[in-house]
Amino acid sequence: MKEKMLGLPMELYHNKRLILSLSRNDFKTKYAGSYLGIVWAFIQPVVTIMVYWFVFTIGLKAGDMAEYPFVLYLISGIIPWFFFQDALNGGTNALMEYNYLVKKVVFKISILPIVKVLSALFVHAFFVVFALIICSFNGYTPTLHTLQIFYYTGCTFVFVLALVYATSAIVAFFRDLTQIINIFLQVGIWMTPIMWDINRLSGHPMLMKIFKLNPMYYIVSGYRDSILGQTWLTAHWKWGIYFWVVTIIIFILGSGIFKRLKLHFADVL
């Protein structure tokens, strides 16, 4: 058990310089073939936010959410989802994208999933700043509570990394998993209270608890508490314990699956 929990983290730590170098290169080359280059990494999420804002505020006449302006409620919740979505998609396809490295006997292929997650983190850093600027213009200026974003970003990073070690290994043998994940993400954005207030389910306590079992609920709520609500993370310590227990279990399972299947990666990629 100790080897499963510490073996992979120690391997990643020992290769931290290579991981950081590959992550920067991955981020740069991802958009190298287009005229606008890296700008495309930011255009699509911004357009998505604008579309949701227009549909809900103009089309559906949505009012404030949990006493916050809808656009701020939306931005503060969807920013971590963008990171989760980008990192999950990229990390899942890491081995297939870097199959030429997988076939090298001396290369540590276990670093490839984290390379894609780190690459997504660069874009996420921009959007966190973007969210803080927009919220500041609307009266929600940064406070000490805002520093908790570093913690919740770390939560998202570790959670999605735990997932991609399993998905990147499985997708090498079962390519349909990519499509399944896309469907999961399409449904997941609506199952997570990003564009709606979970307190509307107060009359259905059991249903509310089921929605809160989604680990992304803890992260999305944490971002809002840090940017808008100014609530310390200790206020939800029980959900924090639940989140880390689930994340550690997924990480142990994911790293175990990756370790068991990696001997066959070069044969199927």
Side-chain angles (χ1 to χ4, degrees), residues 108-218:
K108 295 286 187 180
I109 60 175
S110 58
I111 72 173
L112 293 177
I114 195 174
V115 164
K116 302 298 289 188
V117 177
L118 268 176
S119 178
L121 183 60
F122 297 148
V123 178
H124 179 63
F126 165 83
F127 279 107
V128 168
V129 176
F130 170 78
L132 292 176
I133 292 174
I134 296 296
C135 291
S136 295
F137 281 137
N138 287 272
Y140 295 88
T141 54
T143 64
L144 285 176
H145 298 86
T146 310
L147 295 176
Q148 295 176 135
I149 290 179
F150 290 103
Y151 164 75
Y152 288 110
T153 298
C155 290
T156 315
F157 186 93
V158 177
F159 176 62
V160 73
L161 184 63
L163 288 174
V164 298
Y165 270 107
T167 58
S168 63
I170 296 173
V171 79
F173 301 88
F174 181 61
R175 303 299 172 90
D176 290 348
L177 180 61
T178 302
Q179 303 303 323
I180 294 174
I181 289 176
N182 287 333
I183 294 173
F184 162 77
L185 290 171
Q186 289 177 11
V187 175
I189 193 172
W190 299 103
M191 297 296 288
T192 307
I194 293 174
M195 287 162 280
W196 55 280
D197 184 6
I198 197 170
N199 291 319
R200 292 184 176 181
L201 299 176
S202 57
H204 307 276
M206 184 58 67
L207 185 59
M208 180 185 286
K209 185 169 290 187
I210 291 174
F211 275 98
K212 288 184 176 181
L213 290 176
N214 174 4
M216 284 303 296
Y217 164 79
Y218 175 71

Side-chain angles (χ1 to χ4, degrees), residues 11 102 109-110 257-266:
E11 187 173 326
V102 174
I109 60 175
S110 58
I257 292 172
F258 191 91
K259 183 178 180 180
R260 177 166 294 187
L261 297 179
K262 72 177 181 178
L263 295 176
H264 308 286
F265 290 156

Side-chain angles (χ1 to χ4, degrees), residues 1 30 46 57 73 87 164 176 221 225 233 267:
M1 179 65 71
K30 187 176 181 180
V46 170
T57 57
Y73 187 87
V164 298
D176 290 348
S221 299
D225 287 342
L233 60 88
D267 297 327

Side-chain angles (χ1 to χ4, degrees), residues 10-36:
M10 290 303 297
E11 187 173 326
L12 298 178
Y13 175 77
H14 291 314
N15 292 276
K16 57 183 180 298
R17 290 186 179 179
L18 177 59
I19 291 171
L20 187 58
S21 177
L22 287 174
S23 299
R24 287 197 298 260
N25 185 66
D26 180 89
F27 177 71
K28 293 176 182 178
T29 58
K30 187 176 181 180
Y31 305 96
S34 58
Y35 287 107
L36 295 181

Side-chain angles (χ1 to χ4, degrees), residues 70-83 131 189 192-195 216 219-221 223-224 227-228:
F70 176 79
V71 66
L72 304 186
Y73 187 87
L74 170 65
I75 290 174
S76 59
I78 205 169
I79 293 304
W81 182 266
F82 282 152
F83 175 34
I189 193 172
T192 307
I194 293 174
M195 287 162 280
M216 284 303 296
I219 293 171
V220 169
S221 299
Y223 269 75
R224 287 203 178 107
I227 298 174
L228 302 176

